[in-house]
Amino acid sequence: MAQNILVFGGSRNIGYYAALRFLDAGANVTFLLRSPQVFDTDEAIQQHIKSGKANLVKGDGLIVEDVRKAWTEAMKEAAVDLVLFTVGFNGAAKFHPTKGFLISPNNLVTQCLLNVLCEMPKTATLPKIITLSTSGVSRSSRTKVPFALKPLYGYLIKHALQDKLGMERIIYHCAGWKWNAEDGEPSEDIMGKDWKHRDALPSPGMLKNAMILRGALLNDGECRADSAGNKQPYRAGEGEVGGYSISRRDVAHFIFEAVTKHWEDYGNKQVSVAY
């Protein structure tokens, strides 16, 4: 596979599982990692490091210079074909009785994505970009999640989801998609002041190959798709597809399949995946 991929948020979970699928298929993958040592005992990744297919760059997505370095390293041999952005909050959350779980910083995902897009070389053909979001992230999407999950999205993790909503808002802006006014605008403390005019942010319509991927409630189950034969164990489609859950490994499977086989179906759209 002649693919050159840059991954943000690939130290674990969906970003990791998807990156490994691309590596196993012959792609070159550059990871930006705060702690490259996370892969020291990972035999699968070490195999690809030794072959020269996997490249680890130490850095933080919140630091502009580190993001710039990741782009430079990824493009040493060839242009980047795909940016896989699966940044999420993995630290401790504090519970507030009226606000649910609160995270710090509350705009990690949004600000990392702004750095990635602003530092992205503005070549004639921009790479595909997949950003990982979640069902229930917006007011309109919460109306379509299963009733039993509404308290989770509407209360317990409502404030944490504002960061993912900020990420989605950036993609909508740069891709030139119409934003649903019902969802409101993410607050300034998430987006930053005057974010639309940030230097080097792609202007509306420049991102022609973006995908926002919303997964249902994630779990650590096995990849059902690997043993399902011709029958797909999950549902995927534009907008919301409903459903309670999906494994992180199956989301990674969908990402790989979408990029390599079905981009004409899922590219330049907001897509959801669930069992």
Side-chain angles (χ1 to χ4, degrees), residues 76-91:
K76 276 187 174 179
E77 302 295 333
V80 170
D81 300 299
L82 169 68
V83 175
L84 182 55
F85 186 88
T86 59
V87 174
F89 184 79
N90 294 317

Side-chain angles (χ1 to χ4, degrees), residues 10 28 32-33 53 63 92 116 129 132 152 156 178 185 199 204 214 222 240 250 258-259:
N28 294 296
L32 180 66
L33 302 163
K53 291 292 186 179
I63 299 174
V116 169
I129 179 167
L132 182 66
L152 171 68
L156 285 176
K178 184 178 180 180
E185 291 288 338
D199 188 36
R214 293 177 181 172
E222 294 302 314
E240 293 290 342
D250 271 320
V259 171

Side-chain angles (χ1 to χ4, degrees), residues 84-241:
L84 182 55
F85 186 88
T86 59
V87 174
F89 184 79
N90 294 317
K94 294 184 178 180
F95 180 74
H96 189 281
T98 61
K99 298 180 179 180
F101 288 102
L102 303 177
I103 60 174
S104 179
N106 68 333
N107 60 358
L108 169 70
V109 177
T110 299
Q111 295 306 311
C112 283
L113 181 62
L114 283 170
N115 287 342
V116 169
L117 294 180
C118 290
E119 294 304 316
M120 176 176 63
K122 306 306 186 286
T123 53
T125 302
L126 296 180
K128 297 180 178 70
I129 179 167
I130 297 177
T131 57
L132 182 66
S133 190
T134 177
S135 295
V137 68
S138 64
R139 294 172 190 166
S140 57
S141 68
R142 282 195 291 275
T143 65
K144 300 175 183 177
V145 300
F147 182 78
L149 295 180
K150 290 184 185 295
L152 171 68
Y153 296 120
Y155 163 57
L156 285 176
I157 61 171
K158 178 181 178 180
H159 286 271
L161 291 182
Q162 291 303 301
D163 195 11
K164 288 287 189 179
L165 186 67
M167 177 199 73
E168 289 199 5
R169 185 66 184 95
I170 295 166
I171 295 296
Y172 267 79
H173 172 76
C174 296
W177 302 347
K178 184 178 180 180
W179 183 250
N180 187 348
E182 178 188 340
D183 293 328
E185 291 288 338
S187 61
E188 187 174 296
D189 70 311
I190 296 292
M191 306 301 296
K193 188 175 181 179
D194 204 24
W195 66 272
K196 292 181 181 178
H197 299 99
R198 180 165 162 170
D199 188 36
L201 184 70
S203 57
M206 280 188 68
L207 291 187
K208 299 184 183 300
N209 275 303
M211 181 203 296
I212 294 173
L213 179 57
R214 293 177 181 172
L217 190 63
L218 300 172
N219 63 57
D220 288 322
E222 294 302 314
C223 181
R224 298 183 187 178
D226 283 340
S227 57
N230 294 326
K231 185 178 180 181
Q232 198 75 290
Y234 53 73
R235 295 170 295 116
E238 187 173 3
E240 293 290 342
V241 298

Side-chain angles (χ1 to χ4, degrees), residues 3-7 10 16 19-24 26-33 36 39 42-57 73-74:
Q3 288 270 347
N4 189 25
I5 300 170
L6 178 55
V7 179
Y16 170 81
L20 194 55
R21 284 184 177 272
F22 284 109
L23 284 165
D24 289 343
N28 294 296
V29 177
T30 299
F31 297 84
L32 180 66
L33 302 163
F39 292 148
D42 189 313
E43 294 182 3
I45 295 293
Q46 286 299 318
Q47 169 187 327
H48 293 296
I49 292 174
K50 291 174 183 176
S51 72
K53 291 292 186 179
N55 181 22
L56 312 186
V57 178
E73 288 293 323

